[in-house]
Amino acid sequence: LIFSDEISYFRNDELIFANGNSRAIDNDVEIDANNFEYNNLSNIIYAKGNVKINNKKENYLIFSDEITYFKNDELIFTNGNSKLINDEVQIDARNFKYDKLNDIVYASGNVKINNIKENYLIFSDNVTYNKKLGKVFTKNNSKTISDGLLIEADTFHYYQNQNILEARGKVIIEDKIED
């Protein structure tokens, strides 16, 4: 189902353009945006302007200025002011790629991960978050804050299941707990 203030349908090309208060609903996924284009042949949605994806079955929200959703491949690319929220984490970044099949987020540009369940923050230029395997990898200008410790390094490898953080490159650890 598609709802919008204005819709143009190009039947020969199987293209739908929705302008103004647009919403697409497919089973448990709702996409809201100011405008979007849907290519029925390739099954690709491009949405722009206050984009929100609500996946009720998998329990996550995505917000961004723009998204491109390759539905057949289950890939979502965001561009600008991107945020992913699920029951465990909130990831903020300039852009990210979400591989739904493998449950991996590749985030870039002022990335911040707030893990509510494990109570830690991670900041970096680039982050790969593999939810299935419980692994977080960072690259460039990495910093984490957890339990009163501030750790800075070039890269992190964090293994959530074992609760092990490996920091590499110009590592600084500062205890922020006052005695």
Side-chain angles (χ1 to χ4, degrees):
L1 292 172
I2 297 174
F3 304 93
S4 184
D5 291 342
E6 180 182 312
I7 294 177
S8 299
Y9 174 53
F10 296 86
R11 187 173 180 177
N12 291 342
D13 297 321
E14 288 294 318
L15 293 173
I16 297 172
F17 295 92
N19 295 306
N21 299 311
S22 303
R23 173 176 279 184
I25 301 172
D26 182 34
N27 297 324
D28 296 316
V29 178
E30 294 180 9
I31 301 174
D32 293 297
N34 293 345
N35 308 297
F36 69 80
E37 303 168 13
Y38 174 61
N39 185 320
N40 195 35
L41 297 175
S42 62
N43 214 9
I44 297 171
I45 295 174
Y46 170 73
K48 186 174 182 178
N50 299 313
V51 182
K52 176 184 174 185
I53 298 176
N54 184 358
N55 188 318
K56 294 177 182 180
K57 182 179 179 183
E58 296 174 23
N59 195 31
Y60 68 81
L61 297 168
I62 294 175
F63 300 91
S64 187
D65 293 339
E66 301 176 11
I67 64 105
T68 303
Y69 179 21
F70 296 85
K71 193 163 180 330
N72 294 342
D73 299 320
E74 292 297 343
L75 294 172
I76 299 171
F77 292 86
T78 70
N79 184 26
N81 297 310
S82 303
K83 181 182 296 193
L84 181 142
I85 302 170
N86 67 24
D87 53 347
E88 294 180 12
V89 300
Q90 177 176 316
I91 301 173
D92 295 279
R94 187 175 313 115
N95 310 304
F96 59 76
K97 169 186 168 185
Y98 178 40
D99 177 346
K100 287 180 56 178
L101 296 177
N102 295 302
D103 211 2
I104 299 173
V105 176
Y106 306 92
S108 63
N110 298 317
V111 183
K112 176 185 175 185
I113 296 179
N114 182 359
N115 189 311
I116 300 148
K117 183 179 176 186
E118 301 290 328
N119 193 31
Y120 66 79
L121 295 170
I122 293 178
F123 303 89
S124 188
D125 291 343
N126 299 285
V127 172
T128 300
Y129 173 62
N130 186 322
K131 184 177 178 189
K132 280 185 185 175
L133 299 179
K135 296 181 180 180
V136 178
F137 302 109
T138 71
K139 183 178 178 185
N140 299 331
N141 300 312
S142 302
K143 178 169 65 170
T144 186
I145 302 168
S146 178
D147 297 326
L149 284 179
L150 170 66
I151 303 171
E152 296 182 40
D154 292 333
T155 64
F156 292 146
H157 291 186
Y158 178 55
Y159 306 93
Q160 289 178 307
N161 299 336
Q162 296 86 12
N163 200 22
I164 296 172
L165 175 72
E166 296 174 357
R168 298 183 179 135
K170 301 176 190 165
V171 180
I172 299 170
I173 298 177
E174 188 177 343
D175 188 347
K176 294 289 193 176
I177 298 176
E178 306 236 353
D179 294 326

